[in-house]
Amino acid sequence: MYLLVDIGGTRLRLANSVDGKSFSKPYVVDTPKDFDQAISFFQSVYKKEIETNQVEAVVGGVPGVLDNQKGKLIAAPHLPDWVERPFSQKLT
């Protein structure tokens, strides 16, 4: 299973794909400005939709600059509370 994440400055979308060709109906919410609230949202969706399947990869976009080696945003003008937080670690 693949987890698809689109984090924008105003909206957050989260869906999953079992076959890599189609995806589930996305969850769409206002992007939480608070990092911990966003992680709580991800965890609640995970428990509802994904927990029984093994996630092979997380694919998506973020509204800022991501340091791939550290797995952290290093700049995010619309989400300052997300900067330098362990984003990638929390999603895997």
Side-chain angles (χ1 to χ4, degrees), residues 1-4 15-24 56-57:
M1 170 175 293
Y2 302 95
L3 183 60
L4 311 169
N16 65 65
S17 176
V18 177
D19 60 9
K21 297 178 184 177
S22 61
F23 55 89
S24 66
E56 294 181 45

Side-chain angles (χ1 to χ4, degrees), residues 23-82:
F23 55 89
S24 66
K25 180 179 178 184
Y27 287 82
V28 181
V29 298
D30 290 340
T31 302
K33 301 297 183 196
D34 180 83
F35 178 79
D36 294 323
Q37 287 178 353
I39 296 305
S40 291
F41 169 73
F42 288 125
Q43 290 172 341
S44 70
V45 171
Y46 182 83
K47 286 181 181 180
K48 288 181 194 174
E49 300 289 333
I50 304 165
E51 191 171 40
T52 59
N53 297 300
Q54 184 169 343
V55 175
E56 294 181 45
V58 177
V59 180
V62 294
V65 180
L66 183 67
D67 180 328
N68 285 333
Q69 291 191 351
K70 292 183 180 179
K72 297 179 181 182
L73 286 170
I74 57 174
H78 298 290
L79 300 172
D81 187 51
W82 291 47

